[in-house]
Amino acid sequence: MGKKVIIVGGVAGGASTAARLRRMSEDTEIIMLEKGEYISFANCGLPYHIGEVIEKREELLVQTPEAMKARFNIDVRIMHEALDIDRKEKNLKIKNLETGNIYTESYDKLVLSPGADPIKPPLPGLDIEEVYTLRNIRDMDLIKEYIDNNEIKHAVVVGGGFIGLEMLENLHQRGLKVSLLELTDQVMRTLDKEMVSMVHNHMRTKGVDLNLSDGIAAVEKENGKKFALLQSGKRIETDLIILSIGVKPKTELAEKAGLDIGVSGGIKVNQYLQTSDPNIYAIGDAIEVKDFVINEPSRIPLAGPANKQGRIAANNITGRKEKYNGTQGTSIAKIFDIIPASTGAAEKKLKENDFNYQVVHITSNNHASYYPGALPMMLKLIYQKKDGRILGAQIVGFAGVDKRIDVLSTAIRHQMNIFDLQELELAYSPPFGSAKDPVNMLGFAAGNIYNGLVKPAFWQELDELDNEEIILLDIRENIELELGQIPNSIHIPLNSLRDRLDELDKDKEYITYCAVGLRGYIAARILMQNGFNKVRNLSGGYKLYKAVMDDKNEVIEKEEEAELNSLLTPEDAEMIADLIIKNIRNK
């Protein structure tokens, strides 16, 4: 006789558990309970239907109760809420939300996939109808209906996480002016400060009113108008407010049953996804997982891990022992034209946990520069100093970001080091990549540092340099100086450097820099092989430094400046600089 399994919650985790259970066992009785109207929908796609990028609402409905019954013989009960777990008797108290009827079901195994709720702080005015959160199909319908049926000109989005940024873009797509409020000093906490600076700058070029280090304090109504009041005291008149502050795990059912809750606030599970009761499993956004790199308890609510956890829980219930080895938080987003992505640990997280690490930045094109349409991407790699093991990676670019972050994610999952990146044989054809892929280049650049061929300097240091002892050496072309220079620099173009070494004092320390770091490395090697013993190259070059400064000063960069700052070689600069500088001067 087969087991009886009840799954509480659908969407990514619950639905994948149910489907896998059936594939593994035809005689298991499977009951799925869903408090809402839909058992499985593409919640990551919700903002894109509001923005009318995904036109048909039904495309977001992944499964229906009828389809699950027909294909998998699963008893799906929508509008049913699990109220209480009797662990001793192995019973679950359930309420039919349509009829109000309360009844009990027995189980052999129970899977909790309740998900998470959007955070809505107890602030004045957040209960008015023009304030929304976005977590499910009903939320999406309400927001879209409100925009469709009213003359909406301005929206405030509160929170700079994934959903907040996707909502911002899609509201902009609908023709709305948008203000973003973010309590911390940056959006996308998975990125480090210098990498997210490029995202901030790009958002400003699109007309986004970006309010960092400034959270919402209240929503006020006055003479028929609505205002978002910020903690700084600033008031923004608006028509619509979307709260995307974050989510909190739904743990009430587990807590009432006496199941252990972890230090991060999620339901505590072991490697087999069992709670403190071995007959009860938990998966998805509600659980505490192990951070794969840091190896500490964490909550990382992502759809990919939730799906995998559902499959693993089903395998374990049917006797196929499998461990869940942790989540590394691989993520990617599209924000207008720019694509930020990350995997593994960010630098700030490694600092908090006392890791001894090294950082390298490079800029590479998404495919061969001579093939039309090549676009630059900035890549950051973080690795362990002692053995070169990769700990984290971040990329910000315009194309080809996805495949590089996936390669780097794979490298972290299999505990590869920087020299392994050098050896990877990746697909190459001019429209798709380069003979030395950006991932290979990361390995080469990191390997040069590891082997002592060059020492890096970083943007954080530059404001506090002793300019008497440390000289900033700008080796870009003359024409590139039109766009600015790091203060207190001296300028010798790379192609003139060998002939002008006698102008430099060998007792001083030098930090070389170019646009992105490639020519700066060549300059550093020239100096080091000509008797200069204290030489470093600026990681990420002037482009990265300028991005951080522009973000700090809220400067909106012209497109021509961005293009020139991304040039990789002197030849590139000579080829198009005259035209670009002429355009800048004319404007």
Side-chain angles (χ1 to χ4, degrees):
M1 185 175 176
K3 294 176 181 175
K4 182 177 180 181
V5 179
I6 300 179
I7 302 167
V8 178
V11 197
S16 64
T17 305
R20 179 66 174 178
L21 272 173
R22 178 56 72 226
R23 290 195 297 270
M24 294 298 98
S25 173
E26 268 295 308
D27 60 355
T28 295
E29 182 183 355
I30 305 170
I31 300 171
M32 184 190 296
L33 307 176
E34 172 55 51
K35 186 178 177 181
E37 302 171 63
Y38 304 95
I39 59 157
S40 185
F41 59 89
N43 50 359
C44 296
L46 301 179
Y48 297 98
H49 180 58
I50 294 170
E52 298 184 334
V53 176
I54 299 172
E55 295 182 7
K56 295 180 180 178
R57 177 181 181 274
E58 57 268 24
E59 290 180 356
L60 298 174
L61 304 178
V62 180
Q63 278 285 8
T64 64
E66 296 77 18
M68 289 288 279
K69 178 67 175 177
R71 177 162 296 182
F72 295 108
N73 190 26
I74 292 168
D75 181 1
V76 178
R77 303 177 189 177
I78 60 172
M79 303 300 292
H80 279 64
E81 181 181 8
L83 299 178
D84 285 294
I85 303 167
D86 184 337
R87 291 166 51 191
K88 184 177 180 182
E89 298 297 325
K90 296 175 72 174
N91 286 330
L92 185 65
K93 185 187 289 185
I94 303 165
K95 182 177 182 179
N96 183 328
L97 298 177
E98 292 181 307
T99 66
N101 181 46
I102 295 176
Y103 63 98
T104 300
E105 284 280 2
S106 64
Y107 64 85
D108 293 306
K109 301 291 181 183
L110 180 63
V111 180
L112 302 180
S113 181
D117 282 324
I119 295 172
K120 194 169 183 177
L123 297 173
L126 295 194
D127 55 349
I128 69 172
E129 64 179 19
E130 295 90 349
V131 178
Y132 296 92
T133 57
L134 179 63
R135 188 66 181 168
N136 54 42
I137 293 286
R138 177 169 170 75
D139 295 338
M140 176 192 75
D141 289 341
L142 289 172
I143 295 169
K144 189 170 189 305
E145 181 181 343
Y146 184 72
I147 295 172
D148 290 346
N149 297 328
N150 294 275
E151 292 186 15
I152 306 298
K153 296 180 180 179
H154 185 277
V156 167
V157 175
V158 184
F162 289 104
I163 295 296
L165 294 174
E166 288 166 359
M167 275 306 309
L168 181 150
E169 180 184 10
N170 281 281
L171 293 170
H172 187 278
Q173 169 84 10
R174 293 291 302 267
L176 277 64
K177 294 287 186 182
V178 185
S179 296
L180 181 73
L181 316 184
E182 170 53 51
L183 184 59
T184 67
D185 62 355
Q186 68 170 83
V187 303
M188 296 194 74
R189 301 298 296 170
T190 56
L191 296 180
D192 286 315
K193 181 65 177 176
E194 76 277 22
M195 300 299 285
V196 83
S197 291
M198 292 175 274
V199 178
H200 292 166
N201 294 337
H202 183 71
M203 290 165 66
R204 291 188 182 102
T205 66
K206 296 296 183 179
V208 173
D209 173 32
L210 187 57
N211 298 272
L212 300 174
S213 301
D214 203 356
I216 192 163
V219 176
E220 300 175 337
K221 275 191 170 184
E222 187 178 295
N223 299 324
K225 297 179 180 179
K226 291 175 288 292
F227 296 88
L229 179 64
L230 280 58
Q231 291 180 357
S232 63
K234 179 178 177 180
R235 292 177 91 217
I236 301 173
E237 185 178 348
T238 191
D239 304 302
L240 168 69
I241 297 171
I242 308 289
L243 297 181
S244 184
I245 298 171
V247 295
K248 56 182 179 181
K250 291 183 183 178
T251 59
E252 296 85 355
L253 187 64
E255 289 185 63
K256 282 199 292 182
L259 300 176
D260 290 349
I261 304 299
V263 293
S264 69
I267 302 170
K268 191 172 184 178
V269 295
N270 64 16
Q271 284 188 300
Y272 300 101
L273 300 172
Q274 291 168 303
T275 67
S276 50
D277 183 328
N279 292 308
I280 303 176
Y281 293 74
I283 58 175
D285 292 358
I287 71 169
E288 177 178 271
V289 297
K290 181 184 77 173
D291 183 303
F292 185 78
V293 175
I294 303 295
N295 199 29
E296 66 173 13
S298 185
R299 284 195 301 107
I300 308 176
L302 293 169
N307 274 284
K308 295 179 184 70
Q309 291 158 12
R311 180 185 175 92
I312 290 171
N315 285 347
N316 287 320
I317 288 169
T318 54
R320 295 165 174 80
K321 282 289 186 182
E322 184 177 351
K323 292 180 180 180
Y324 183 73
N325 292 315
T327 303
Q328 65 194 68
T330 304
S331 59
I332 189 167
K334 173 186 173 297
I335 306 167
F336 302 110
D337 305 318
I338 207 164
I339 303 167
S342 63
T343 186
E347 189 176 353
K348 51 183 170 281
K349 188 79 170 178
L350 294 169
K351 276 183 183 174
E352 290 170 6
N353 287 271
D354 297 323
F355 274 71
N356 190 16
Y357 64 88
Q358 181 65 62
V359 170
V360 61
H361 302 88
I362 68 164
T363 294
S364 286
N365 285 329
N366 65 310
H367 60 60
S369 59
Y370 57 82
Y371 187 88
L375 295 167
M377 66 178 80
M378 177 74 74
L379 300 93
K380 176 177 183 175
L381 189 74
I382 312 170
Y383 60 92
Q384 203 157 250
K385 273 189 177 180
K386 65 178 180 180
D387 57 7
R389 182 168 73 88
I390 303 163
L391 302 172
Q394 299 166 35
I395 308 176
V396 178
F398 298 91
V401 171
D402 51 346
K403 75 175 185 176
R404 273 71 187 210
I405 204 69
D406 283 343
V407 173
L408 293 165
S409 173
T410 304
I412 291 173
R413 178 61 59 165
H414 292 282
Q415 301 190 346
M416 294 167 67
N417 63 39
I418 55 177
F419 300 104
D420 294 322
L421 295 186
Q422 298 179 8
E423 296 182 9
L424 290 177
E425 186 175 330
L426 302 172
Y428 162 57
S429 177
F432 303 106
S434 301
K436 289 187 285 190
D437 190 85
V439 172
N440 299 132
M441 293 301 294
L442 268 179
F444 294 140
N448 287 337
I449 295 171
Y450 188 92
N451 289 324
L453 293 176
V454 68
K455 292 180 179 179
F458 297 96
W459 63 271
Q460 296 97 322
E461 307 173 47
L462 300 189
D463 288 341
E464 298 180 3
L465 291 181
D466 180 348
N467 297 120
E468 293 296 320
E469 295 299 322
I470 303 176
I471 310 300
L472 285 165
L473 179 58
D474 182 345
I475 56 84
R476 295 174 298 160
E477 296 302 296
N478 292 326
I479 196 71
E480 294 176 86
L481 303 187
E482 293 271 356
L483 294 174
Q485 204 176 18
I486 300 175
N488 301 309
S489 300
I490 66 170
H491 176 237
I492 300 177
L494 175 62
N495 291 351
S496 306
L497 183 58
R498 289 183 181 87
D499 297 329
R500 297 176 59 180
L501 291 175
D502 58 354
E503 299 176 24
L504 304 176
D505 184 348
K506 291 184 177 179
D507 292 329
K508 304 285 187 181
E509 179 179 352
Y510 290 87
I511 296 177
T512 59
Y513 74 89
C514 62
V516 297
L518 178 61
R519 288 173 283 161
Y521 167 63
I522 297 169
R525 291 300 301 157
I526 291 171
L527 293 175
M528 291 171 71
Q529 294 178 84
N530 281 277
F532 291 80
N533 297 318
K534 294 180 285 186
V535 182
R536 293 186 288 157
N537 180 36
L538 182 61
S539 189
Y542 181 71
K543 177 182 173 69
L544 187 64
Y545 171 82
K546 186 174 186 296
V548 175
M549 293 301 108
D550 283 355
D551 182 26
K552 180 180 177 181
N553 298 314
E554 299 186 16
V555 173
I556 300 176
E557 187 180 57
K558 297 181 178 71
E559 289 184 13
E560 294 90 348
E561 293 177 359
E563 186 174 359
L564 189 53
N565 270 321
S566 69
L567 300 175
L568 305 186
T569 68
E571 291 72 29
D572 287 336
E574 291 166 3
M575 184 167 56
I576 69 167
D578 287 336
L579 177 62
I580 290 176
I581 295 300
K582 188 181 296 182
N583 287 340
I584 292 172
R585 286 172 175 162
N586 289 341
K587 290 186 178 182

